[in-house]
Amino acid sequence: MSTRLNYATDLALLLTFLWGRGKGWCEAVDRDLEDFEYWRTRAPENPERVGGSKWNRELAAFSGLYRWALRERLIMRSPVATRQVVGFRGHLVAVPMARAKDSRPSNVHWLTPRTWRLWSDVGLRGFDRDGAPTPGWVGRLEDRNTSFVDLLTSSGLRRQEAAALLTIEIPVRRLAGGRYCHGTVASESSRGKRSRSFYTSVRVVDQIQDYVDSSRAWTVRQAQARGLYDRVPMRLVSEVVGGLKPRVRWQGPGGRGERALDLLTWQERATLFVEGPEGPEPLWLWLSERGLPFYPHSWNGVFRTANQRCRQVLTPLARRDPHRVYAPYATPHAGRHSFALFMLVVLNHVMDRRYGLSPEERRDFRLLYGDPWFMVQGLLGHSSRETTIRHYLAPVRHLQLESLLSAAPTPMGGPAPDLDDLFAQVACAASGVQDIEAALTPAGERA
């Protein structure tokens, strides 16, 4: 859905440009696209020029439009000039000639664990830079927001995957050892439309359950007292059939219905209710202050507000160094990126330090189970290893993590150390990784 919205916006810009030339989209030629690319990326008269990554996304939208037009025989020739290149699987693929060469692999953000803690404490919990609650702070659904963020950073779920969870899908099955719980991502909630397993810590599951039992329960009771649920579209679930492929049965405005839980879209999930002690209750896990489902795109506003508060609290009034960043910046997808980086470092640590593997033993371990890059690929649900390495772990793609880990003070086979220092080393050696500690700011510069 997000891709469709973005492409629609991109196409509207091109259509407006062509209309200004007195042309319809079917009448566009190569020169029109060349002029539009110049205007968008290089024209001095354009105050809102875009970078390579943004232009490549727009170009992908144009290419898709004109490929469709060719198939439908609406045009005889596409204005998007292409060239043939050899793909990574050895076959020829058509690539637009106007693709930018200065684009970054992806607009990604990595935060170290202590930077996430700082961002959550200041942005979501209302702490000041010294780690104390701000007087007069009124947290609005603080437990909901912190639970959601911790779920993202602990599991690597995408925004929509985590946002569309139902209360009956909270992970409860503990793995051996009891530190992690196992859950399942519904195929209709995932980007690739494939179901997969995910893992999150028991601490996060307990935190989510506390939210369900406290502020969420209170919000539901308030909505029931106002009769809010009597005025919304509702599918009242009568039964959840378990098994390998759980199904839900409901009674709705259109009569009875039944569908596999894995095949419900997030829009359908938002209409599911269950009969509670005081009346109907949403099955949607994350609720707004009114007691209605908090939709996936709404989380962008929560992150945006938290980023603004971090800038206000952590950025000194008199900045001595304009190139220094004092406040962390996070997005919902940054939790997934940071999870990938965290797991790569930790898995290397487990192999090299906890088990004390020699180079020969580690080679055997990789042959049996795969290396940490392969493990992280499985945790993220990527079908391509290249996606994991190029887009999600680009900061450490060229680093020798073994050399960083070898500096850790813990002896072979010893307990895991505090990883903050280790991630500080990674942040210093790799670009793009945010590692911010409020205590590092000089006292004279504090806001």
Side-chain angles (χ1 to χ4, degrees), residues 67 154 184 303 397:
R67 280 198 304 269
S154 171
T184 302
F303 278 75
R397 179 171 45 176

Side-chain angles (χ1 to χ4, degrees), residues 70-113:
L70 280 172
R71 289 196 305 268
E72 298 295 323
R73 301 182 183 275
L74 298 175
I75 58 176
M76 299 302 296
R77 182 176 178 273
S78 171
V80 181
T82 61
R83 58 189 176 91
Q84 297 289 327
V85 300
V86 179
F88 71 93
R89 293 181 179 175
H91 61 289
L92 292 177
V93 294
V95 176
M97 296 181 63
R99 274 188 64 85
K101 298 179 175 60
D102 61 342
S103 65
R104 293 184 297 170
S106 183
N107 184 23
V108 295
H109 304 277
W110 296 269
L111 284 73
T112 62

Side-chain angles (χ1 to χ4, degrees), residues 273-323:
F273 283 70
V274 64
E275 191 67 41
E278 305 295 331
E281 300 179 1
L283 273 182
W284 190 273
L285 175 57
W286 313 103
L287 302 182
S288 67
E289 289 180 288
R290 297 182 60 205
L292 296 175
F294 198 68
Y295 291 154
H297 62 269
S298 300
W299 287 105
N300 292 343
V302 174
F303 278 75
R304 185 164 51 248
T305 301
N307 288 329
Q308 293 172 352
R309 175 167 173 76
C310 284
R311 286 197 301 269
Q312 294 171 356
V313 174
L314 299 175
T315 303
L317 293 177
R319 297 182 62 178
R320 297 181 181 178
D321 185 356
H323 303 289

Side-chain angles (χ1 to χ4, degrees), residues 343-344 347-348 351 362 366 370-377:
M343 291 306 300
L344 178 69
L347 287 172
N348 272 280
M351 285 186 177
R362 178 163 184 163
R366 282 178 170 174
D371 61 14
W373 300 90
F374 179 79
M375 296 179 184
V376 174
Q377 175 190 341

Side-chain angles (χ1 to χ4, degrees), residues 141-198:
L141 292 177
E142 177 182 315
D143 56 347
R144 182 202 67 181
N145 297 340
T146 54
S147 298
F148 182 81
V149 171
D150 287 348
L151 176 61
L152 294 181
T153 58
S154 171
S155 65
L157 292 175
R158 296 180 177 89
R159 181 193 65 180
Q160 181 169 300
E161 294 170 346
L165 286 175
L166 304 178
T167 55
I168 58 177
E169 294 177 315
I170 299 174
V172 293
R173 289 183 292 171
R174 295 196 179 194
L175 302 179
R179 296 179 58 187
Y180 286 87
C181 288
H182 168 272
T184 302
V185 177
S187 60
E188 279 298 319
S189 298
S190 68
R191 182 175 182 178
K193 302 304 179 185
R194 294 188 304 271
S195 177
R196 75 174 193 278
S197 298
F198 72 92

